[in-house]
Structure formats: structure tokens, C-alpha cells
Amino acid sequence: MLQKDNLKFGLVLGFLAPVLGFATYYLVKFRLFTVKEFFEVLMMQKSLISGIISICLLADAIVFTIYINRQKDKTAAGIFIATCLYALVALGFKWFA
């Protein structure tokens, strides 16, 4: 499965990797809070959201690097597209929230 070279597969990986990064960030930094309390803190301090999204995009960078090194360019392109979309969301939160 990891040997696939497919744009759709890359998009799926590109959207899932930051979610896993977000879960890891929560477990490392905010494990004392319940998930509900964590989201309440995020809603009160919206400036944290863009920073957290940016950190979560490191997971995409890792997956992207793996697929580039394996020369799976279509999958890497999908991951890159998803990363760009996440980055636009982060910028939107930074500028408009």
C-alpha cells in the first residue's frame, strides 16, 4: 500500500498526516485537559490555532519527504497539494481570526 503512486492516495495521506500530528500534539502538550477542554481553550485563544496547524504540517513534511525519496511523485504531489491547502487555512486563521 505504501508503494502506491497515486494522486488521490497522496491527498488522503496529506489530509490524514496532520490529523495524526494534531492528536500527537494534544497528547504531548495538553494531555491534562480533556478533548472538550482543549477545544474550548483553542476557541478562546484563536491565535494558538495557526501555530498548532503549522506544527501539525510537520507530519506532512515527513510523509512528503518519504515519498519524494522513494520517487513516488504522484503521491508526493497529492501530499503537497493537501499541505498547501492546510497552510492556506492556517494563514486564514492567522489573518482573519
Side-chain angles (χ1 to χ4, degrees), residues 19-35 38 52 55-56 58:
V19 172
L20 293 174
F22 183 79
T24 303
Y25 184 80
Y26 164 74
L27 291 173
V28 170
K29 289 287 193 179
F30 291 93
R31 68 177 164 254
L32 298 176
F33 293 97
T34 65
V35 175
F38 174 59
I52 291 172
I55 290 170
C56 293
L58 289 175

Side-chain angles (χ1 to χ4, degrees), residues 38-83:
F38 174 59
F39 281 108
E40 288 173 358
V41 168
L42 286 179
M43 290 303 113
M44 288 188 297
Q45 297 182 356
K46 292 189 188 278
S47 62
L48 286 175
I49 295 173
S50 63
I52 291 172
I53 290 173
S54 300
I55 290 170
C56 293
L57 288 178
L58 289 175
D60 259 357
I62 292 167
V63 176
F64 177 77
T65 302
I66 290 169
Y67 278 91
I68 283 292
N69 288 340
R70 290 184 179 175
Q71 297 178 344
K72 304 293 182 189
D73 295 332
K74 292 177 187 174
T75 303
I79 295 167
F80 182 74
I81 291 167
T83 303

Side-chain angles (χ1 to χ4, degrees), residues 10-15 18 57 60 77-87:
L11 287 169
V12 169
L13 280 177
F15 284 117
L57 288 178
D60 259 357
I79 295 167
F80 182 74
I81 291 167
T83 303
C84 290
L85 293 174
Y86 268 117

